[in-house]
CSV table of all heavy atoms in Angstrom, one decimal:
chain,number,residue,atom,x,y,z
A,29,ALA,N,60.5,2.2,115.1
A,29,ALA,CA,59.1,2.0,115.7
A,29,ALA,C,58.3,1.2,114.8
A,29,ALA,O,57.5,0.3,115.1
A,29,ALA,CB,58.5,3.2,116.2
A,30,LEU,N,58.4,1.5,113.5
A,30,LEU,CA,57.6,0.8,112.5
A,30,LEU,C,58.0,-0.7,112.3
A,30,LEU,O,57.2,-1.6,112.2
A,30,LEU,CB,57.7,1.5,111.1
A,30,LEU,CG,56.9,1.0,110.0
A,30,LEU,CD1,55.4,1.0,110.3
A,30,LEU,CD2,57.1,1.7,108.7
A,31,SER,N,59.3,-0.8,112.3
A,31,SER,CA,59.9,-2.3,112.3
A,31,SER,C,59.4,-3.0,113.5
A,31,SER,O,59.1,-4.2,113.4
A,31,SER,CB,61.3,-2.2,112.2
A,31,SER,OG,61.8,-1.5,111.0
A,32,LEU,N,59.5,-2.4,114.7
A,32,LEU,CA,59.1,-3.1,115.9
A,32,LEU,C,57.6,-3.5,115.8
A,32,LEU,O,57.2,-4.6,116.1
A,32,LEU,CB,59.4,-2.3,117.1
A,32,LEU,CG,59.0,-2.8,118.5
A,32,LEU,CD1,59.8,-4.2,118.7
A,32,LEU,CD2,59.2,-1.9,119.6
A,33,ASP,N,56.8,-2.5,115.4
A,33,ASP,CA,55.4,-2.8,115.3
A,33,ASP,C,55.0,-3.9,114.3
A,33,ASP,O,54.3,-4.8,114.6
A,33,ASP,CB,54.7,-1.5,114.8
A,33,ASP,CG,53.2,-1.6,114.7
A,33,ASP,OD1,52.6,-2.1,115.7
A,33,ASP,OD2,52.5,-1.2,113.7
A,34,GLN,N,55.8,-3.9,113.2
A,34,GLN,CA,55.6,-5.0,112.1
A,34,GLN,C,56.0,-6.3,112.7
A,34,GLN,O,55.4,-7.4,112.5
A,34,GLN,CB,56.4,-4.7,110.9
A,34,GLN,CG,55.7,-3.6,110.0
A,34,GLN,CD,56.5,-3.4,108.7
A,34,GLN,OE1,57.7,-3.9,108.6
A,34,GLN,NE2,56.1,-2.7,107.8
A,35,SER,N,57.1,-6.3,113.5
A,35,SER,CA,57.6,-7.6,114.0
A,35,SER,C,56.7,-8.1,115.1
A,35,SER,O,56.8,-9.4,115.4
A,35,SER,CB,59.1,-7.5,114.5
A,35,SER,OG,59.1,-6.6,115.7
A,36,LEU,N,56.0,-7.3,115.8
A,36,LEU,CA,55.1,-7.7,116.9
A,36,LEU,C,53.7,-8.1,116.5
A,36,LEU,O,53.0,-8.8,117.2
A,36,LEU,CB,55.0,-6.7,118.0
A,36,LEU,CG,56.3,-6.5,118.7
A,36,LEU,CD1,56.2,-5.3,119.7
A,36,LEU,CD2,56.9,-7.6,119.4
A,37,VAL,N,53.3,-7.7,115.3
A,37,VAL,CA,51.9,-8.0,114.8
A,37,VAL,C,51.7,-9.4,114.5
A,37,VAL,O,50.7,-10.0,114.9
A,37,VAL,CB,51.6,-7.0,113.6
A,37,VAL,CG1,50.3,-7.4,112.9
A,37,VAL,CG2,51.5,-5.5,114.0
A,38,SER,N,52.6,-10.0,113.7
A,38,SER,CA,52.4,-11.4,113.3
A,38,SER,C,53.7,-12.1,113.2
A,38,SER,O,54.8,-11.4,113.1
A,38,SER,CB,51.7,-11.4,112.0
A,38,SER,OG,52.4,-10.9,110.9
A,39,GLU,N,53.7,-13.3,113.1
A,39,GLU,CA,55.0,-14.1,112.8
A,39,GLU,C,55.5,-13.9,111.4
A,39,GLU,O,56.7,-13.8,111.3
A,39,GLU,CB,54.6,-15.6,112.9
A,39,GLU,CG,55.9,-16.5,112.8
A,39,GLU,CD,55.5,-17.9,113.0
A,39,GLU,OE1,54.5,-18.3,113.5
A,39,GLU,OE2,56.5,-18.8,112.8
A,40,GLU,N,54.6,-13.6,110.4
A,40,GLU,CA,55.2,-13.2,109.1
A,40,GLU,C,55.8,-11.9,109.1
A,40,GLU,O,56.9,-11.7,108.5
A,40,GLU,CB,53.9,-13.1,108.1
A,40,GLU,CG,53.2,-14.4,107.8
A,40,GLU,CD,52.0,-14.2,107.0
A,40,GLU,OE1,51.7,-13.0,106.6
A,40,GLU,OE2,51.2,-15.2,106.8
A,41,GLY,N,55.3,-10.9,109.9
A,41,GLY,CA,56.0,-9.6,110.0
A,41,GLY,C,57.4,-9.7,110.7
A,41,GLY,O,58.4,-9.2,110.3
A,42,PHE,N,57.4,-10.6,111.7
A,42,PHE,CA,58.7,-10.9,112.4
A,42,PHE,C,59.8,-11.4,111.4
A,42,PHE,O,60.9,-11.0,111.4
A,42,PHE,CB,58.5,-11.7,113.6
A,42,PHE,CG,59.8,-12.2,114.2
A,42,PHE,CD1,60.5,-11.3,115.1
A,42,PHE,CD2,60.3,-13.4,114.0
A,42,PHE,CE1,61.6,-11.7,115.7
A,42,PHE,CE2,61.5,-13.8,114.6
A,42,PHE,CZ,62.2,-12.9,115.5
A,43,ASN,N,59.3,-12.6,110.7
A,43,ASN,CA,60.2,-13.1,109.8
A,43,ASN,C,60.7,-12.2,108.6
A,43,ASN,O,61.8,-12.3,108.2
A,43,ASN,CB,59.5,-14.4,109.1
A,43,ASN,CG,59.4,-15.5,110.2
A,43,ASN,OD1,60.3,-15.6,111.0
A,43,ASN,ND2,58.4,-16.3,110.0
A,44,ARG,N,59.7,-11.3,108.2
A,44,ARG,CA,60.2,-10.4,107.2
A,44,ARG,C,61.2,-9.4,107.6
A,44,ARG,O,62.3,-9.1,107.0
A,44,ARG,CB,58.9,-9.6,106.7
A,44,ARG,CG,59.2,-8.7,105.5
A,44,ARG,CD,57.9,-8.0,105.1
A,44,ARG,NE,56.9,-7.9,106.2
A,44,ARG,CZ,55.7,-8.2,106.1
A,44,ARG,NH1,55.1,-8.6,104.9
A,44,ARG,NH2,54.9,-8.0,107.1
A,45,ILE,N,61.0,-8.9,108.9
A,45,ILE,CA,62.0,-8.0,109.5
A,45,ILE,C,63.3,-8.7,109.7
A,45,ILE,O,64.3,-8.2,109.4
A,45,ILE,CB,61.4,-7.3,110.7
A,45,ILE,CG1,60.2,-6.5,110.4
A,45,ILE,CG2,62.5,-6.5,111.5
A,45,ILE,CD1,60.5,-5.3,109.6
A,46,LYS,N,63.3,-9.9,110.3
A,46,LYS,CA,64.4,-10.7,110.5
A,46,LYS,C,65.2,-11.0,109.3
A,46,LYS,O,66.4,-10.8,109.3
A,46,LYS,CB,64.0,-11.9,111.3
A,46,LYS,CG,65.2,-12.9,111.7
A,46,LYS,CD,64.8,-14.1,112.2
A,46,LYS,CE,64.2,-14.9,111.0
A,46,LYS,NZ,64.3,-16.4,111.1
A,47,ASP,N,64.5,-11.4,108.3
A,47,ASP,CA,65.2,-11.7,107.0
A,47,ASP,C,65.8,-10.5,106.4
A,47,ASP,O,66.9,-10.6,105.7
A,47,ASP,CB,64.3,-12.4,106.1
A,47,ASP,CG,63.8,-13.8,106.5
A,47,ASP,OD1,64.5,-14.4,107.4
A,47,ASP,OD2,62.7,-14.3,106.1
A,48,HIS,N,65.3,-9.4,106.5
A,48,HIS,CA,65.7,-8.2,105.9
A,48,HIS,C,66.9,-7.6,106.7
A,48,HIS,O,68.0,-7.4,106.0
A,48,HIS,CB,64.6,-7.0,105.9
A,48,HIS,CG,65.0,-5.8,105.3
A,48,HIS,ND1,65.4,-5.6,103.9
A,48,HIS,CD2,65.3,-4.6,105.8
A,48,HIS,CE1,65.8,-4.5,103.8
A,48,HIS,NE2,65.8,-3.8,104.9
A,49,TYR,N,66.8,-7.5,108.0
A,49,TYR,CA,67.9,-6.8,108.7
A,49,TYR,C,69.1,-7.7,109.1
A,49,TYR,O,70.2,-7.3,109.2
A,49,TYR,CB,67.4,-6.1,110.0
A,49,TYR,CG,66.6,-4.9,109.6
A,49,TYR,CD1,65.2,-4.8,109.8
A,49,TYR,CD2,67.2,-3.8,109.1
A,49,TYR,CE1,64.5,-3.7,109.4
A,49,TYR,CE2,66.6,-2.6,108.8
A,49,TYR,CZ,65.1,-2.6,109.0
A,49,TYR,OH,64.5,-1.4,108.6
A,50,LEU,N,68.8,-9.0,109.4
A,50,LEU,CA,69.8,-9.8,109.8
A,50,LEU,C,70.8,-10.3,108.5
A,50,LEU,O,71.6,-11.2,108.8
A,50,LEU,CB,69.4,-11.0,110.6
A,50,LEU,CG,69.0,-10.7,112.0
A,50,LEU,CD1,68.6,-11.9,112.8
A,50,LEU,CD2,70.2,-10.1,112.7
A,51,GLN,N,70.5,-9.8,107.4
A,51,GLN,CA,71.3,-10.1,106.3
A,51,GLN,C,72.6,-9.2,106.3
A,51,GLN,O,73.6,-9.5,105.6
A,51,GLN,CB,70.7,-10.0,105.0
A,51,GLN,CG,69.4,-10.9,104.9
A,51,GLN,CD,69.8,-12.3,105.1
A,51,GLN,OE1,70.8,-12.8,104.5
A,51,GLN,NE2,68.9,-13.0,105.8
A,52,TRP,N,72.6,-8.2,107.0
A,52,TRP,CA,73.8,-7.2,107.1
A,52,TRP,C,74.7,-7.6,108.2
A,52,TRP,O,74.3,-7.7,109.3
A,52,TRP,CB,73.2,-5.8,107.3
A,52,TRP,CG,72.2,-5.3,106.3
A,52,TRP,CD1,72.1,-5.8,105.0
A,52,TRP,CD2,71.3,-4.2,106.4
A,52,TRP,NE1,71.1,-5.0,104.4
A,52,TRP,CE2,70.6,-4.1,105.1
A,52,TRP,CE3,71.1,-3.3,107.4
A,52,TRP,CZ2,69.7,-3.0,104.9
A,52,TRP,CZ3,70.2,-2.3,107.2
A,52,TRP,CH2,69.5,-2.2,106.0
A,53,PRO,N,76.0,-7.8,107.9
A,53,PRO,CA,77.0,-8.2,108.9
A,53,PRO,C,77.1,-7.1,109.9
A,53,PRO,O,77.4,-7.5,111.1
A,53,PRO,CB,78.2,-8.4,108.0
A,53,PRO,CG,77.8,-8.5,106.7
A,53,PRO,CD,76.5,-7.8,106.5
A,54,LEU,N,77.0,-5.9,109.6
A,54,LEU,CA,77.2,-4.8,110.6
A,54,LEU,C,76.0,-4.9,111.7
A,54,LEU,O,76.3,-4.7,112.8
A,54,LEU,CB,77.1,-3.4,110.0
A,54,LEU,CG,77.6,-2.3,110.9
A,54,LEU,CD1,78.9,-2.5,111.4
A,54,LEU,CD2,77.5,-1.0,110.1
A,55,VAL,N,74.9,-5.3,111.2
A,55,VAL,CA,73.7,-5.4,112.1
A,55,VAL,C,73.9,-6.6,113.1
A,55,VAL,O,73.7,-6.5,114.3
A,55,VAL,CB,72.4,-5.5,111.4
A,55,VAL,CG1,71.3,-5.8,112.3
A,55,VAL,CG2,72.1,-4.2,110.6
A,56,LYS,N,74.5,-7.7,112.5
A,56,LYS,CA,74.8,-8.9,113.3
A,56,LYS,C,75.8,-8.6,114.3
A,56,LYS,O,75.7,-9.0,115.4
A,56,LYS,CB,75.2,-10.0,112.4
A,56,LYS,CG,74.0,-10.6,111.6
A,56,LYS,CD,74.6,-11.8,110.8
A,56,LYS,CE,73.5,-12.4,110.0
A,56,LYS,NZ,74.1,-13.5,109.1
A,57,ALA,N,76.9,-7.8,113.9
A,57,ALA,CA,77.9,-7.4,114.8
A,57,ALA,C,77.4,-6.6,116.0
A,57,ALA,O,77.8,-6.7,117.1
A,57,ALA,CB,79.1,-6.8,114.1
A,58,GLY,N,76.6,-5.6,115.7
A,58,GLY,CA,76.0,-4.7,116.6
A,58,GLY,C,75.1,-5.6,117.6
A,58,GLY,O,75.1,-5.3,118.8
A,59,LEU,N,74.3,-6.5,117.1
A,59,LEU,CA,73.5,-7.3,117.9
A,59,LEU,C,74.4,-8.2,118.9
A,59,LEU,O,74.0,-8.3,120.0
A,59,LEU,CB,72.7,-8.2,117.0
A,59,LEU,CG,71.7,-9.2,117.7
A,59,LEU,CD1,70.7,-8.4,118.5
A,59,LEU,CD2,71.0,-10.1,116.7
A,60,LEU,N,75.5,-8.7,118.4
A,60,LEU,CA,76.3,-9.4,119.3
A,60,LEU,C,77.0,-8.5,120.4
A,60,LEU,O,77.2,-9.0,121.5
A,60,LEU,CB,77.5,-10.1,118.4
A,60,LEU,CG,77.1,-11.3,117.6
A,60,LEU,CD1,78.3,-11.7,116.9
A,60,LEU,CD2,76.6,-12.4,118.5
A,61,VAL,N,77.3,-7.3,120.1
A,61,VAL,CA,77.7,-6.4,121.1
A,61,VAL,C,76.7,-6.2,122.2
A,61,VAL,O,77.1,-6.3,123.4
A,61,VAL,CB,78.2,-5.0,120.5
A,61,VAL,CG1,78.5,-4.0,121.6
A,61,VAL,CG2,79.4,-5.2,119.6
A,62,PHE,N,75.5,-6.0,121.8
A,62,PHE,CA,74.4,-5.8,122.8
A,62,PHE,C,74.2,-7.1,123.6
A,62,PHE,O,73.9,-7.2,124.8
A,62,PHE,CB,73.1,-5.4,122.2
A,62,PHE,CG,73.1,-4.0,121.7
A,62,PHE,CD1,73.0,-3.6,120.5
A,62,PHE,CD2,73.2,-3.0,122.8
A,62,PHE,CE1,73.0,-2.2,120.2
A,62,PHE,CE2,73.2,-1.7,122.5
A,62,PHE,CZ,73.1,-1.3,121.2
A,63,ILE,N,74.3,-8.3,123.0
A,63,ILE,CA,74.1,-9.5,123.6
A,63,ILE,C,75.2,-9.8,124.6
A,63,ILE,O,75.0,-10.2,125.7
A,63,ILE,CB,74.0,-10.8,122.6
A,63,ILE,CG1,72.7,-10.6,121.9
A,63,ILE,CG2,74.1,-12.1,123.3
A,63,ILE,CD1,72.6,-11.6,120.7
A,64,TRP,N,76.5,-9.5,124.3
A,64,TRP,CA,77.6,-9.6,125.1
A,64,TRP,C,77.4,-8.7,126.3
A,64,TRP,O,77.7,-9.1,127.5
A,64,TRP,CB,78.9,-9.3,124.5
A,64,TRP,CG,80.0,-9.2,125.5
A,64,TRP,CD1,80.6,-10.3,126.0
A,64,TRP,CD2,80.5,-8.2,126.1
A,64,TRP,NE1,81.5,-9.9,127.0
A,64,TRP,CE2,81.5,-8.5,127.0
A,64,TRP,CE3,80.3,-6.7,126.0
A,64,TRP,CZ2,82.2,-7.7,127.8
A,64,TRP,CZ3,81.0,-5.9,126.8
A,64,TRP,CH2,82.0,-6.3,127.7
A,65,ALA,N,76.9,-7.5,126.1
A,65,ALA,CA,76.8,-6.5,127.2
A,65,ALA,C,75.7,-7.0,128.2
A,65,ALA,O,75.8,-6.9,129.4
A,65,ALA,CB,76.4,-5.1,126.7
A,66,TYR,N,74.6,-7.6,127.6
A,66,TYR,CA,73.5,-8.1,128.5
A,66,TYR,C,74.0,-9.3,129.2
A,66,TYR,O,73.8,-9.4,130.5
A,66,TYR,CB,72.4,-8.5,127.6
A,66,TYR,CG,71.3,-9.2,128.5
A,66,TYR,CD1,70.4,-8.5,129.3
A,66,TYR,CD2,71.1,-10.6,128.5
A,66,TYR,CE1,69.5,-9.1,130.1
A,66,TYR,CE2,70.2,-11.2,129.2
A,66,TYR,CZ,69.4,-10.4,130.0
A,66,TYR,OH,68.5,-11.0,130.8
A,67,CYS,N,74.8,-10.3,128.6
A,67,CYS,CA,75.2,-11.4,129.3
A,67,CYS,C,76.2,-11.1,130.4
A,67,CYS,O,76.2,-11.7,131.4
A,67,CYS,CB,75.8,-12.4,128.3
A,67,CYS,SG,74.7,-13.2,127.2
A,68,HIS,N,77.1,-10.1,130.0
A,68,HIS,CA,78.1,-9.7,131.0
A,68,HIS,C,77.5,-9.1,132.2
A,68,HIS,O,77.8,-9.4,133.4
A,68,HIS,CB,79.1,-8.7,130.4
A,68,HIS,CG,80.3,-8.4,131.2
A,68,HIS,ND1,81.3,-9.2,131.3
A,68,HIS,CD2,80.6,-7.3,132.0
A,68,HIS,CE1,82.2,-8.7,132.2
A,68,HIS,NE2,81.7,-7.5,132.6
A,69,HIS,N,76.4,-8.2,132.0
A,69,HIS,CA,75.8,-7.6,133.2
A,69,HIS,C,75.0,-8.6,133.9
A,69,HIS,O,75.0,-8.5,135.1
A,69,HIS,CB,74.8,-6.5,132.5
A,69,HIS,CG,74.1,-5.7,133.6
A,69,HIS,ND1,74.8,-4.7,134.2
A,69,HIS,CD2,72.9,-5.7,134.0
A,69,HIS,CE1,73.9,-4.2,135.1
A,69,HIS,NE2,72.8,-4.8,135.0
A,70,PHE,N,74.3,-9.5,133.3
A,70,PHE,CA,73.6,-10.6,134.0
A,70,PHE,C,74.5,-11.4,134.8
A,70,PHE,O,74.2,-11.7,136.0
A,70,PHE,CB,72.8,-11.5,133.0
A,70,PHE,CG,72.0,-12.5,133.6
A,70,PHE,CD1,70.8,-12.3,134.2
A,70,PHE,CD2,72.5,-13.9,133.6
A,70,PHE,CE1,70.1,-13.3,134.8
A,70,PHE,CE2,71.8,-14.9,134.2
A,70,PHE,CZ,70.6,-14.5,134.9
A,71,CYS,N,75.6,-11.8,134.2
A,71,CYS,CA,76.6,-12.7,135.0
A,71,CYS,C,77.2,-12.0,136.2
A,71,CYS,O,77.4,-12.6,137.3
A,71,CYS,CB,77.7,-13.3,134.1
A,71,CYS,SG,77.0,-14.5,132.9
A,72,ALA,N,77.6,-10.7,136.0
A,72,ALA,CA,78.2,-9.9,137.1
A,72,ALA,C,77.1,-9.7,138.2
A,72,ALA,O,77.5,-9.7,139.4
A,72,ALA,CB,78.6,-8.6,136.5
A,73,GLY,N,75.9,-9.6,137.8
A,73,GLY,CA,74.9,-9.4,138.8
A,73,GLY,C,74.7,-10.7,139.6
A,73,GLY,O,74.5,-10.6,140.8
A,74,CYS,N,74.8,-11.8,138.9
A,74,CYS,CA,74.6,-13.0,139.6
A,74,CYS,C,75.8,-13.2,140.6
A,74,CYS,O,75.7,-13.7,141.8
A,74,CYS,CB,74.6,-14.2,138.7
A,74,CYS,SG,73.1,-14.3,137.7
């Protein structure tokens, strides 16, 4: 919640959170899993 709050307050906060967390390959892989699930659900709905 704190990270979300910081990322929504300003562009600097967003860039700080993005630069910190997207450096970890496991976070990137988890993000890709969620993106695939969303895309699959969206396409199947269409």
Side-chain angles (χ1 to χ4, degrees):
L30 182 61
S31 298
L32 179 63
D33 185 45
Q34 285 181 351
S35 70
L36 294 176
V37 168
S38 67
E39 186 176 350
E40 292 172 5
F42 173 78
N43 288 331
R44 185 177 30 224
I45 296 297
K46 180 186 71 149
D47 292 340
H48 177 70
Y49 286 110
L50 282 183
Q51 299 305 317
W52 300 344
L54 189 60
V55 172
K56 287 181 182 179
L59 182 62
L60 285 178
V61 168
F62 284 117
I63 289 170
W64 173 79
Y66 175 78
C67 289
H68 188 80
H69 185 77
F70 180 79
C71 293
C74 291

